[in-house]
Amino acid sequence: MRRTAVALTLLAALSCGSFAGSQAVSAASASAGGGGGGGGRGTNILVVGIDSRAGLSAAEKRRLHVGGKGCNCTDVMMLVHLSQNRRRASIVSIPRDSYVEYAATAATATATATAPARSGKINGAYALGGGPLTVATVEKATGLRIDHYLETGFTGFEQTVDNLGGATVCTDRPLKDENSGLDIGAGRHLADGNRALRYVRARHVNLRPGDLGRVRRQQRVVDDLLARLTAEGALAGPVSTARTVRTLLKTVRSDERTGLDDLVRIGWALGRLRADRTEFATVPIRLFDHRVPGVGSTLVWDEARSAALWAALGADRPITGDTRIQPAAENPAPADPARIAVRVDDAEVAAALRGSGFVVTDTSATAPAVRPSGSPVIRYATGQEDNAATVAAALPGSRLQVDPELDAVVEVTVGARPVQVRSVTFDRNVADGAPVTAERLRCAEAPAAAGAARPGSAVEPSGRR
């Protein structure tokens, strides 16, 4: 029971951190500071992890690869919506750099009515007003009422994962990030606490860098832990759930409106959910590098799509399959054409691909006088699968070939058959944060089998990122 209880702690923490320095916060008092409670159905739980290195020795910082100063801000933020009938959970990640308008603090509430509201990264609300202002700001930004609040620090993740027996991490290609210390090969791994910490903290991976990929990895680990809790019976009934929650409350503190009975009901409901009734998503983003003087690079939510997301949660509706949240593109692409270098041996095709946003080098001057039969051939190096698939989406009917001799450039050889060039739509929200159900998100192998592997070892490849 100790191991499974620790897993629920991870669910509540949902971060790469410890449980030191937690503080109880009243959601009721927070909303009085200007939060816009939507009063919708179901239950909303805000879970945050704080970026703090307080109390860590130099040796611990080196081991955990968390050098530098903490910002005393929220590093991880997830809004968990449990439906009124307790048959669905929607877990929405709110990126730390989201640019929002802060709720009023006690000081600003007494200022003149003409004073402009202060805006900044959502993770900065904690530094300005702790948990109460964080809750109020999320309520203001989403229009949802936060019913419960859970907060944790930044340093106990390693020990927690080790106590659990490891955490499942998976990737369909090698991942490396010098900042977090992450360096894992392709496949499915049962990682120890140190390795799992690097996996969920990485923001500068060699694939698509940034917060959205990191958030997706956090969601995948949480999904695996939920599945493991369910498989091991830690949330099978009121008694087992109460034991798990009592252990949770030794390390994670809740607000004053959240009692043991509330957490038991929430935990028991989560333990009975099917994988297709557990949803994960990230707030849709419109601008990924919005520069604000004095604030830095921020993320701006897509106004219409994020509003549809909060409206769905407020109305207690599923978020997967809602085209208002995630519109269906006519010709979706897995990678950004503006970041794909292509060599094309036909001038007209090269010009058309350039017009579609690809970075094109026209090599038609050295093309053979007689074209080979058939449709275009797209050659690409190992690791360039997404780029090649994006070019293929723009050239319907083309043939894909792996060429280990190539570099990061995708080569297109045009054949004798007429070529149609189609516009493609790349949506980073789809690539890294689209609403998905748990069975699509999790690593392929069943959670019960994962415990057979030694932490830090690779197990069966998953085929998913």
Side-chain angles (χ1 to χ4, degrees):
M1 179 53 64
R2 172 179 170 80
R3 291 172 62 244
T4 54
V6 169
L8 186 59
T9 301
L10 279 181
L11 169 66
L14 228 43
S15 73
C16 37
S18 85
F19 313 109
S22 301
Q23 69 178 41
V25 176
S26 167
S29 63
S31 62
R41 294 166 292 169
T43 302
N44 296 316
I45 308 109
L46 183 64
V47 183
V48 303
I50 307 304
D51 181 353
S52 173
R53 289 135 174 95
L56 282 178
S57 67
E60 287 173 321
K61 289 181 181 180
R62 286 193 299 270
R63 188 188 75 250
L64 298 173
H65 222 273
V66 291
K69 294 179 63 177
C71 63
N72 191 37
C73 59
T74 50
D75 187 58
V76 176
M77 182 179 291
M78 289 192 180
L79 197 158
V80 181
H81 175 82
L82 187 61
S83 67
Q84 183 70 27
N85 63 12
R86 298 299 192 258
R87 295 180 181 176
R88 184 183 64 257
S90 304
I91 302 173
V92 179
S93 296
I94 302 176
R96 54 177 283 167
D97 291 340
S98 299
Y99 189 61
V100 298
E101 188 175 278
Y102 297 136
T105 64
T108 58
T110 59
T112 63
T114 57
R118 183 171 180 178
S119 297
K121 296 180 181 181
I122 200 166
N123 68 342
Y126 188 89
L128 293 173
L133 186 60
T134 298
V135 170
T137 296
V138 170
E139 289 183 331
K140 182 175 184 177
T142 66
L144 298 172
R145 170 76 175 189
I146 301 302
D147 302 295
H148 304 289
Y149 173 89
L150 296 170
E151 177 192 312
T152 183
F154 189 72
T155 56
F157 185 85
E158 180 184 39
Q159 181 180 356
T160 305
V161 172
D162 287 339
N163 288 341
L164 178 63
T168 303
V169 301
C170 57
T171 173
D172 59 5
R173 65 196 70 181
L175 290 178
K176 188 172 184 179
D177 177 12
E178 293 183 1
N179 291 63
S180 75
L182 176 67
D183 189 2
I184 62 173
R188 187 177 189 277
H189 308 268
L190 186 63
D192 61 15
N194 189 285
R195 202 177 189 193
L197 175 64
R198 300 178 185 206
Y199 177 83
V200 298
R201 287 189 63 241
R203 301 181 72 194
H204 305 279
V205 292
N206 50 303
L207 299 176
R208 286 188 293 267
D211 232 21
L212 265 65
R214 181 182 82 133
V215 163
R216 197 54 124 185
R217 288 189 292 276
Q218 293 166 356
Q219 292 172 355
R220 181 167 286 113
V221 169
V222 168
D223 178 41
D224 174 75
L225 292 170
L226 267 177
R228 188 178 302 183
L229 276 169
T230 301
E232 295 184 357
L235 305 174
V239 175
S240 60
T241 305
R243 287 198 297 263
T244 301
V245 169
R246 286 186 186 278
T247 301
L248 164 68
L249 291 176
K250 295 177 182 178
T251 51
V252 175
R253 304 179 92 181
S254 61
D255 65 280
E256 64 186 27
R257 299 173 60 197
T258 306
L260 177 65
D261 56 338
D262 297 302
L263 293 177
V264 169
R265 283 195 295 267
I266 292 168
W268 191 16
L270 290 172
R272 289 180 292 168
L273 289 176
R274 301 192 324 236
D276 63 349
R277 295 295 185 92
T278 306
E279 307 174 308
F280 290 86
T282 303
V283 181
I285 304 298
R286 178 172 61 86
L287 298 176
F288 286 88
D289 187 20
H290 177 58
R291 300 280 172 163
V292 180
V295 178
S297 177
T298 68
L299 301 173
V300 175
W301 295 352
D302 184 292
E303 291 84 354
R305 290 160 70 172
S306 62
L309 172 64
W310 308 131
L313 295 181
D316 205 27
R317 299 193 308 263
I319 59 175
T320 50
D322 189 332
T323 56
R324 293 168 299 179
I325 301 171
Q326 195 62 71
E330 181 178 349
N331 192 23
D336 185 356
R339 295 179 178 272
I340 302 176
V342 189
R343 288 194 287 260
V344 186
D345 69 351
D346 180 275
E348 290 186 8
V349 175
L353 286 175
R354 187 177 295 113
S356 295
F358 292 88
V359 180
V360 178
T361 299
D362 183 349
T363 61
S364 58
T366 58
V370 179
R371 293 286 178 181
S373 61
S375 55
V377 175
I378 299 172
R379 295 188 300 121
Y380 62 96
T382 301
Q384 297 294 312
E385 290 81 6
D386 283 354
N387 287 352
T390 300
V391 177
L395 301 173
S398 56
R399 295 166 288 171
L400 291 166
Q401 291 182 1
V402 178
D403 186 345
E405 300 298 321
L406 284 179
D407 51 18
V409 176
V410 177
E411 288 198 349
V412 176
T413 301
V414 176
R417 184 178 301 175
V419 178
Q420 174 191 12
V421 180
R422 296 183 61 193
S423 297
V424 299
T425 300
F426 169 70
D427 188 338
R428 189 170 169 186
N429 294 292
V430 174
D432 292 322
V436 294
T437 52
E439 77 271 15
R440 290 186 55 195
L441 183 65
R442 70 180 46 155
C443 298
E445 188 177 337
R454 176 176 55 84
S457 65
V459 292
E460 290 296 325
S462 70
R464 295 189 182 100
R465 274 182 286 115

